[in-house]
Amino acid sequence: MTTYEYGYARVSTTAQDLKRQLDWLASQGVPVERTYADKKTGSDFEREGLASVLAQLRSGDVLYVASLDRLGRTMHKVLALIAELREKGIHLVIGGAMVIDTRVGGPATDMALLMLGTFAEMELIFQRERRASARASRESSGKSWGRPREIDREAVLADLNDGMSVMKVAAKHKIGRATVFRIKGEAKS
C-alpha cells in the first residue's frame, strides 16, 4: 500500500505570511502539490484547506504541521481531530522546538500532544484577555475601538476647498492630519 506525505499550514489573517511554515513543510519533504493552507483563525474549524487535506488522508499517510496550534486553537477540538486521525491510522508530525511524530507513539507522545494542546489554548485565552484589557483601556480614555468609521471624503475636500486648515478639518471630522493629507493627495491624482 502506498502512503503519502501531506502538509498543512495556517495563519490567522490574510495579512500574515505562510512562508516559514511552507519552508518547514518543504524541508520535511512534503511535495507542494500535497500542501494545503488556510488564512483563517484557528478557533474556526470550518477551513477549506483543512477540509481538503483531511479528505485526502488515508491510513498510513502522514500529515505534517509546523506546530500544533496551526491545526487549531481550541484544545478539545484539536485533540479530537488528532484522535480521529490516529483511529484512521493516519500519522501526524508536528514541528517546533520539540518535534512530535505519532509514528513513534507511546505515552511520551500522548503526553507531549496534551501539553502542546494545553499551551496553545492558554495562549488563545491570554490573547483574548490582552485584547479585552486594551479595549477597556482605550474606551476608558475616550478613544474608539474596532474598525475605523467611514470618512466622508467629500465633506473633507469641501472644507479644504473652503480654505479651512488641515488641523481644523482633522479636528472637525475627528480624523488625523495624515488622513486629511492622504484624502487631499488622492483627490489631486
Side-chain angles (χ1 to χ4, degrees):
M1 178 165 107
T2 305
T3 61
Y4 295 100
E5 295 178 330
Y6 291 87
Y8 178 70
R10 180 191 63 79
V11 290
S12 297
T13 68
T14 56
Q16 292 175 318
D17 187 12
L18 291 162
K19 184 176 180 353
R20 180 189 61 82
Q21 294 176 61
L22 296 176
D23 287 348
W24 182 82
L25 293 171
S27 76
Q28 300 302 303
V30 178
V32 173
E33 64 272 12
R34 288 196 300 268
T35 298
Y36 297 82
D38 284 308
K39 289 192 172 193
K40 196 168 187 181
T41 179
S43 57
D44 180 358
F45 273 74
E46 300 297 320
R47 292 177 253 139
E48 188 176 319
L50 181 61
S52 295
V53 74
L54 294 177
Q56 299 299 317
L57 293 167
R58 302 291 176 253
S59 181
D61 289 345
V62 183
L63 176 61
Y64 288 80
V65 183
S67 63
L68 186 62
D69 63 342
R70 300 303 85 200
L71 277 179
R73 296 301 283 263
T74 309
M75 186 176 66
H76 68 277
K77 287 184 179 180
V78 169
L79 295 177
L81 175 59
I82 291 170
E84 180 184 329
L85 292 174
R86 292 176 85 183
E87 284 174 16
K88 293 178 179 179
I90 298 164
H91 302 288
L92 189 63
V93 175
I94 302 165
M98 178 178 70
V99 176
I100 298 172
D101 188 339
T102 63
R103 291 175 291 191
V104 176
T109 300
D110 293 340
M111 182 62 72
L113 287 169
L114 285 171
M115 289 179 66
L116 286 177
T118 300
F119 293 140
E121 187 154 347
M122 282 176 48
E123 177 56 26
L124 182 63
I125 291 167
F126 294 152
Q127 283 178 357
R128 287 179 181 155
E129 288 175 354
R130 287 190 297 265
R131 279 195 303 266
S133 176
R135 181 180 191 156
S137 175
R138 287 186 64 82
E139 287 176 348
S140 70
S141 64
K143 296 179 180 173
S144 64
W145 179 262
R147 188 179 188 143
R149 62 183 176 82
E150 291 294 320
I151 299 169
D152 185 351
R153 294 176 184 280
E154 298 302 320
V156 169
L157 290 171
D159 288 340
L160 288 170
N161 289 336
D162 288 344
M164 193 180 287
S165 73
V166 170
M167 290 283 287
K168 288 183 180 179
V169 171
K172 176 181 177 183
H173 294 277
K174 297 180 182 171
I175 58 177
R177 291 181 330 165
T179 304
V180 175
F181 282 117
R182 187 174 62 247
I183 292 170
K184 186 178 180 181
E186 288 170 355
K188 287 181 180 179
S189 58

